[in-house]
Each structure stands twice: as C-alpha cells, then as structure tokens.
C-alpha cells in the first residue's frame, strides 16, 4: 500500500490529464516569468527603466491557471504582477521589455502606461486600468457577453487580496452570481496589500465571500501548481456547463518588495521573507520534476542560458526602439470613424 501511495503522489500530473511535456512547459514558463522579473529589477536599479512592480513568488499559480484555461479562446483580465501569466498565454519578453522601456511599439499601451498594464487584442488580454479591481467588473461584462452570444469561452480575472475589499469586487461578484456568468475570479493572496499584512485587512477568508453571492469559493495552496491547475480547470468546466462563477483564493507570498519604490523590511522581517523562500513554488516544482526524472541540472543550466540570451536580445531591441512621438498623444484615444463619415 505504501508503494502505491508513493506512485500516486509522484504521478500527480498524469492523474490530472497533464502530459510530461506539458508540466515541463509549465516549469519553463515559471522560470521565464521569474527571470524576466529579476532582470527588470536589475534594469531599474541600473537606471535603465523607471519603475517595476514585482511578482516574484506568484509565478507557479499564474502559470498553472493559464494552462488550465483555453489559451486560444478564453478572455484574460490580469493584474499588474501577472508577468508569468501573460507570458504563458502568448506575450513575449520583447513585448514586455518594450512596455517597461515605454517605447512606441509596446503592444500594451504604446508606451503610455506604467508597466503591468497588460493589453493584447491578439491574445484576448483585456486592457487594464490603474485603479485596482476595476478589471473584475470588466471580466464579468465579458462573461455576460459570452452568455448572451452563446459562445463557449470564459473570462478569467486576477487581483490581490487587498483588492477584494473594494466595492468593484463585491458588485461584480453579486452581478455574476445573480446571472450565473462564466467567469473565474482568481485572488492571488500574497499576504500584503502594499505594506499592510493580511490580518489587518481581511476579517476572514476571501474565498468565503463567494457564499454571500451564491457560488462556490475555494482556497488553494498557490505554491502547488498542480492543485491550482485542478481547481481552475474544474471552475472552467462549471462555467461552460452553465453553473456560473467560481471564486478561487490562491495562497502565496510576495517574496520581493511591493515595487522598486518600496522598502519591504520597514514592515516585515528578513526572517519572515527567508522562511517563505523555503516554500517557493518554482523550487518545489523543479524538485517534483527531478524526482520523476523529467528534469536535470544540465537541463536547468541550458534553460538559464537560453533565457539569459532571450532577455539580452529583448532588452537590446527595446532600448534601441523609438519612443512615442508627441504628436501621437491622442492616437487610439478617440474613435475618429464618425468624424470621417464612418458608421
């Protein structure tokens, strides 16, 4: 019986319908998100870019959620730490670097918004706004469109636990619950809303709030990508079956400061951060793959070299790309079709 239990644990991804190749791809995207994030922090410290908001410690859950969705049809409304997520659904490191360097070719906003304001019509990533939580009612709107048009897609929206205290969150949940809309509401609880710890901002679990709006809420270990994958996949199946929304609270830890303007050790201890590094989802997933014989130190070295080269090329391209022109300030701001006699 013990040997059966060991095999059952080791082969968790196959029980979920994931192939060996898929879990290796998941790990690769986790590492790509981490390497991009680390490189952006260095660029800011070197004075190459002005600002960076980090998502280190949240990559495992982001990639797992992306793999549980339909990356060819679903609509995505990420929040500003979702680098690993947007990379997993098709954005490139070059596109992200164009954004942090604020260049005209930036596909997110043409270099006009701060980094983390993701948007891509090609990938169905819906443009985000600066006020936190506004993406949640927008996601519910896309889900309403899916239901009205009888289309088989879901909308997936992410946010931090601090955002769950905003009115937008509650109004969106209520509307989604009343209308049984195909939306997955995904809270990345990283324990801190800027400098405020969770116990000072939440009077209970975020996931429990779903009960008041008539749909299921689940709390999962955000450092366990296979568990996140399972719960998001089941939520998507529920949504497509007409059973309505799901609220998922993925528990994790923000291993880096809130942003490059933040001194995180002013409100938490180095010992607390170090203890949470031991729970890092990327390191744990690498151990899982290594234990199965699917990953090796040699593959890891090759991957690091590959990503270092990719990031170097993306940075070089972004640095040399032109900035937006002053005369283009109002480009894409107004619909000029009516002025030109269009419909």
């Amino acid at each position: 019986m013990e040997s059966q239990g060991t095999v059952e644990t080791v082969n968790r991804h196959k029980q979920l319908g994931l192939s060996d190749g898929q879990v290796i791809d998941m790990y690769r995207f986790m590492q790509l998100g981490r390497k991009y994030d680390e490189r952006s922090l260095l660029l800011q410290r070197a004075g190459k870019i002005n600002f960076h908001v980090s998502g280190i410690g949240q990559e495992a859950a982001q990639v797992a959620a992306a793999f549980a969705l339909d990356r060819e049809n679903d609509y995505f409304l990420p929040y500003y730490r979702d680098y690993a997520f947007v990379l997993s659904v098709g954005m490139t490191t070059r596109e992200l670097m164009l954004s942090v360097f604020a260049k005209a070719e930036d596909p997110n906003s043409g270099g006009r918004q701060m980094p983390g304001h993701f948007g891509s019509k090609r990938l169905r990533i819906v443009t985000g706004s600066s006020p936190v939580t506004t993406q949640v009612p927008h996601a519910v709107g896309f889900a309403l469109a899916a239901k009205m048009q009888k289309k088989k897609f879901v909308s997936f929206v992410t946010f931090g636990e601090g955002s769950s205290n905003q009115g937008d969150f509650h109004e969106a949940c209520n509307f989604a619950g009343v209308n049984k809309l195909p939306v997955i509401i995904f809270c990345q609880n990283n324990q801190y809303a800027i400098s405020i710890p969770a116990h000072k901002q939440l009077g209970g679990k975020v996931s429990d709030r779903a009960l008041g709006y008539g749909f299921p809420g689940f709390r999962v270990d955000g450092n366990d990508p296979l568990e996140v994958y399972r719960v998001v996949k089941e939520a998507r199946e529920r949504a497509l079956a007409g059973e309505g929304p799901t609220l998922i609270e993925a528990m994790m830890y923000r291993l880096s400061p809130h942003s490059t303007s933040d001194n995180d050790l002013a409100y938490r201890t180095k010992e607390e951060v170090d203890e949470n590094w031991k729970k890092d989802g990327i390191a744990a997933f690498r151990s899982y793959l290594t234990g199965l014989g699917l990953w090796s130190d040699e593959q890891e070295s090759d991957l690091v070299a590959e990503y270092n080269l990719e990031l170097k090329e993306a940075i070089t391209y972004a640095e040399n790309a032109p900035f937006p022109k002053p005369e283009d300030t109002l480009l894409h701001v107004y619909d000029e079709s009516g002025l030109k006699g269009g419909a």
Side-chain angles (χ1 to χ4, degrees), residues 155-169:
S155 62
F156 175 83
V157 60
T158 70
F159 53 96
E161 82 285 350
S163 291
S164 71
N165 298 323
Q166 299 294 318
D168 296 77
F169 168 81

Side-chain angles (χ1 to χ4, degrees), residues 36-37 40-41 43-44 48-55 78-83 86 91 93 95-103 106-119 127-132 258-261:
Y36 167 80
D37 209 321
S40 295
L41 287 168
L43 288 169
Q44 194 278 335
K48 296 275 190 176
I49 64 175
N50 290 321
F51 186 70
H52 178 66
V53 181
S54 179
Y79 91 131
Y80 50 84
R81 299 189 195 277
D82 278 353
Y83 309 111
V86 296
M91 290 202 83
T93 51
E95 289 173 327
L96 291 180
M97 283 299 174
L98 285 165
S99 175
V100 296
F101 277 94
K103 295 303 180 76
D106 164 33
N108 298 280
S109 70
R112 304 178 200 194
Q113 289 184 296
M114 292 169 61
H117 290 68
F118 308 108
T127 300
S129 184
S130 292
V132 296
H258 168 73
S259 71
T260 49
S261 300

Side-chain angles (χ1 to χ4, degrees), residues 225-238:
L226 296 179
E227 183 64 6
V228 173
Y229 174 88
R230 180 187 68 82
V231 175
V232 174
K233 186 178 181 182
E234 290 178 358
R236 186 175 189 278
E237 290 169 352
R238 287 188 65 257

Side-chain angles (χ1 to χ4, degrees), residues 203-219:
K205 299 178 182 178
V206 173
S207 54
D208 285 346
R209 295 178 174 183
L211 297 174
Y213 301 115
F215 55 87
F218 301 97
R219 175 181 273 195

Side-chain angles (χ1 to χ4, degrees), residues 84-326:
F85 179 84
V86 296
L87 287 166
S88 296
V89 300
M91 290 202 83
T92 66
T93 51
R94 175 182 287 191
E95 289 173 327
L96 291 180
M97 283 299 174
L98 285 165
S99 175
V100 296
F101 277 94
K103 295 303 180 76
E105 290 179 58
D106 164 33
N108 298 280
S109 70
R112 304 178 200 194
Q113 289 184 296
M114 292 169 61
H117 290 68
F118 308 108
S120 172
K121 186 175 182 179
R122 169 176 60 91
L123 299 171
R124 301 165 316 286
I125 298 173
V126 182
T127 300
S129 184
S130 292
V132 296
T133 333
T134 54
Q135 71 272 21
V136 183
H138 295 165
V140 170
F142 274 83
L144 177 63
K147 185 171 183 177
M148 292 175 67
Q149 297 174 11
K150 295 182 170 55
K151 293 185 176 179
K152 288 292 184 180
F153 71 80
V154 306
S155 62
F156 175 83
V157 60
T158 70
F159 53 96
E161 82 285 350
S163 291
S164 71
N165 298 323
Q166 299 294 318
D168 296 77
F169 168 81
H170 296 280
E171 293 175 27
C173 284
N174 186 64
F175 190 88
V178 168
N179 293 283
K180 290 190 175 297
L181 300 179
V183 56
I184 300 171
I185 304 167
F186 190 82
C187 175
Q188 296 182 43
N189 188 334
N190 65 16
Q191 310 298 312
Y192 284 93
I194 306 183
S195 60
I196 307 299
H199 71 271
K200 290 187 177 181
Q201 50 166 310
L202 294 170
K205 299 178 182 178
V206 173
S207 54
D208 285 346
R209 295 178 174 183
L211 297 174
Y213 301 115
F215 55 87
F218 301 97
R219 175 181 273 195
V220 298
D221 180 359
N223 291 318
D224 183 347
L226 296 179
E227 183 64 6
V228 173
Y229 174 88
R230 180 187 68 82
V231 175
V232 174
K233 186 178 181 182
E234 290 178 358
R236 186 175 189 278
E237 290 169 352
R238 287 188 65 257
L240 292 179
E243 297 175 22
T246 303
L247 172 62
I248 300 168
E249 179 184 15
M251 303 301 296
M252 56 190 69
Y253 190 84
R254 194 191 76 216
L255 294 169
S256 52
H258 168 73
S259 71
T260 49
S261 300
D262 175 43
N263 174 17
D264 62 315
L265 296 184
Y267 54 82
R268 62 182 183 180
T269 65
K270 184 177 184 299
E271 290 74 21
E272 178 184 312
V273 177
D274 289 345
E275 189 62 30
N276 278 279
W277 268 106
K278 298 175 184 177
K279 305 172 187 177
D280 179 24
I282 295 181
F285 202 52
R286 179 183 174 185
S287 295
Y288 171 79
L289 295 176
T290 302
L292 284 173
L294 297 175
W295 199 251
S296 66
D297 291 343
E298 182 180 1
Q299 286 171 292
E300 185 73 16
S301 296
D302 290 344
L303 185 67
V304 171
E306 175 189 338
Y307 286 163
N308 284 341
L309 179 60
E310 178 180 333
L311 286 165
K312 181 180 179 180
E313 292 176 346
I315 291 167
T316 299
Y317 184 90
E319 276 193 293
N320 294 319
F323 284 103
K325 299 176 181 178

